């Protein structure tokens, strides 16, 4: 019996050590600033599809970068310098409306949001294309996964209101950017001149999306790895994975939201947008795109996406 207890104790120690190593590895791989893409593009889209998507992405990015962009910086509430590029609408087409666009994990504004900016520009929007904290040109050592970025989003809205006046404003976000704009909408001082939100493939919370990745990619259990990882993140980055969620936000916001998600998304599962939609208390619509993987809905069916987005914008920002 003694030998059995010793063996069990040793196994428990080894198991705890392995969990600790897994948690530290996960944190180091995901939370600190990532200056190169470490996401497997195969999970976002079939590579043949991705080559087709590039035929849309590259010309749009080149067009945006060829415009007379104004580079803008602001300070976050924790004193980081945040960067964005401002694309003005053509004078003859301007509707005196603003769109603020937020990109996904390990990317930057001009990479993820150029195509949607071209579309919104045609609708007469000025576009503020943001680099999230710890991404692109913006400062920061740790990724905020929406929990910290929601306050940055509010800072960008307030900056725009002070500089340009309280124009009707649209928030757009993709992936982590979508979680950011949804979480911002739940803030008590969320400005009422934000008339609509488009949230493309948002996760519900960092906790749930990391748990999904642990199980899907590494076949590892949620407990105790996520508990340890959460503790490390709170100590290093200043927030916990359960501090806030898109579910918390959409239950309390009155801002109309269009939820978009690809039906073939294995990176951020489709059920997360469906859950956001179900829990949302404000006017809401849901677009699920056939054959679209993560962050690929616009490129997979541009006609459908633009038609639905234009209809939604027309309804709430006439």
């Amino acid at each position: 019996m003694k030998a059995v207890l010793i063996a069990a104790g040793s196994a428990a120690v080894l198991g705890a050590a392995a969990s600790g190593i897994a948690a530290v590895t996960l944190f180091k791989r995901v939370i600190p600033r990532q200056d190169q893409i470490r996401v497997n593009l195969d999970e976002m889209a079939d590579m043949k599809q991705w080559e087709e998507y590039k035929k849309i992405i590259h010309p749009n990015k080149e067009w945006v970068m060829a415009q007379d962009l104004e580079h803008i910086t602001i300070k976050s509430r924790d004193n980081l310098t945040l960067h964005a590029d401002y694309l003005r609408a053509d004078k003859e087409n301007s509707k005196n409306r603003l769109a603020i666009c937020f990109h996904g994990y390990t990317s930057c504004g001009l990479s993820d949001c150029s195509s949607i900016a071209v579309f919104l520009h045609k609708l007469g929007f000025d576009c503020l294309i943001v680099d999230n904290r710890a991404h692109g040109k913006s400062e920061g050592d740790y990724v905020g996964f929406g929990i910290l970025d929601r306050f940055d989003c509010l800072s960008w809205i307030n900056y725009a209101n002070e500089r340009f006046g309280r124009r009707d404003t649209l928030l757009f976000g993709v992936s982590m950017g979508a979680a950011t704009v949804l979480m911002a909408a739940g803030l008590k001082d969320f400005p009422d001149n934000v008339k609509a939100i488009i949230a493309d493939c948002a996760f519900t919370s960092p906790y749930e999306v990391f748990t999904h990745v642990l199980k899907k990619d590494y076949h590892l259990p949620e407990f105790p790895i996520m508990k340890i990882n959460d503790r490390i993140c709170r100590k290093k980055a200043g927030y916990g994975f359960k501090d806030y969620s898109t579910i918390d936000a959409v239950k309390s916001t009155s801002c109309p939201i269009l939820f978009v998600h690809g039906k073939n998304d294995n990176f951020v599962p489709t059920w997360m947008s469906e859950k956001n939609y179900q829990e949302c208390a404000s006017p809401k619509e849901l677009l699920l795109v056939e054959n679209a993987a993560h962050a690929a809905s616009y490129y997979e069916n541009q006609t459908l996406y633009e038609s639905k987005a234009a209809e939604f914008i027309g309804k709430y920002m006439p």
Side-chain angles (χ1 to χ4, degrees):
M1 175 62 93
K2 185 177 181 180
V4 171
L5 291 174
I6 291 173
S10 299
V13 170
L14 289 173
S19 295
I21 292 170
V24 170
T25 301
L26 179 63
F27 175 84
K28 288 182 176 180
R29 182 175 177 81
V30 174
I31 305 302
R33 183 186 188 100
Q34 308 292 317
D35 287 322
Q36 60 182 4
I37 294 177
R38 300 176 70 176
V39 174
N40 184 0
L41 289 178
D42 287 333
E43 292 190 6
M44 295 190 175
D46 177 88
M47 293 316 292
K48 285 186 178 180
Q49 287 178 296
W50 199 252
E51 290 302 317
E52 290 299 311
Y53 299 159
K54 287 179 182 178
K55 296 176 183 178
I56 302 172
I57 296 168
H58 289 172
N60 284 334
K61 183 177 180 181
E62 289 172 3
W63 183 88
V64 170
M65 295 188 71
Q67 305 310 301
D68 185 18
L69 300 176
E70 179 187 353
H71 194 74
I72 296 173
T73 61
I74 63 171
K75 286 291 185 180
S76 69
R77 67 175 193 159
D78 51 349
N79 206 37
L80 298 176
T81 300
L82 306 176
H83 292 250
D85 291 290
Y86 186 58
L87 172 66
R88 289 176 175 82
D90 295 331
K91 287 184 179 180
E92 63 275 12
N93 191 41
S94 176
K95 301 297 189 295
N96 196 32
R97 300 184 295 189
L98 175 68
I100 309 179
C101 304
F102 294 83
H103 62 82
Y105 177 65
T106 72
S107 189
C108 67
L110 290 175
S111 290
D112 274 5
C113 299
S114 286
S115 292
I116 201 70
V118 170
F119 165 63
L120 294 171
H121 184 267
K122 291 176 182 176
L123 295 182
F125 280 87
D126 292 350
C127 296
L128 187 62
I129 305 169
V130 172
D131 282 354
N132 294 326
R133 61 172 54 221
H135 289 79
K137 295 177 181 177
S138 290
E139 292 181 344
D141 294 326
Y142 298 104
V143 179
F145 278 100
I147 291 178
L148 300 180
D149 309 83
R150 60 186 162 139
F151 300 108
D152 301 337
C153 178
L154 181 63
S155 295
W156 282 115
I157 299 168
N158 289 336
Y159 166 84
N161 285 346
E162 290 172 11
R163 179 175 170 187
F164 305 117
R166 293 176 65 85
R167 294 186 292 173
D168 285 357
T169 297
L170 168 75
L171 297 184
F172 170 84
V174 59
S175 191
M176 188 183 74
T180 293
V181 298
L182 291 179
M183 289 186 190
L187 294 170
K188 291 182 179 179
D189 48 355
F190 186 68
D192 60 8
N193 65 302
V194 177
K195 300 300 183 183
I197 293 171
I198 299 177
D200 188 334
C201 62
F203 52 76
T204 48
S205 71
Y207 191 94
E208 286 193 327
V209 78
F210 295 158
T211 299
H212 168 74
V213 171
L214 268 181
K215 293 177 179 178
K216 178 176 71 72
D217 292 347
Y218 303 103
H219 308 291
L220 292 173
E222 171 184 347
F223 183 84
I225 295 172
M226 284 303 300
K227 185 175 182 179
I228 299 169
N229 195 21
D230 183 83
R231 192 180 304 144
I232 296 170
C233 189
R234 190 174 296 281
K235 181 178 180 180
K236 296 278 190 179
Y239 69 94
F241 299 143
K242 290 185 175 181
D243 282 359
Y244 202 59
S245 72
T246 58
I247 302 299
D248 296 327
V250 299
K251 283 181 176 180
S252 62
T253 188
S254 60
C255 188
I257 302 171
L258 171 60
F259 299 94
V260 182
H261 218 111
K263 287 189 174 182
N264 288 1
D265 193 339
N266 294 318
F267 193 70
V268 174
T270 310
W271 65 259
M272 291 193 175
S273 278
E274 293 175 320
K275 186 175 180 181
N276 284 328
Y277 174 79
Q278 290 165 2
E279 298 289 344
C280 184
S282 64
K284 58 189 178 181
E285 297 181 28
L286 176 64
L287 173 63
L288 300 180
V289 180
E290 297 284 349
N291 302 317
H294 185 63
S297 293
Y298 183 86
Y299 312 112
E300 178 61 30
N301 196 332
Q302 184 177 350
T303 301
L304 173 63
Y305 197 116
E306 291 186 351
S307 174
K308 184 65 175 178
E311 176 190 347
F312 175 77
I313 291 167
K315 185 182 297 184
Y316 297 106
M317 302 181 70

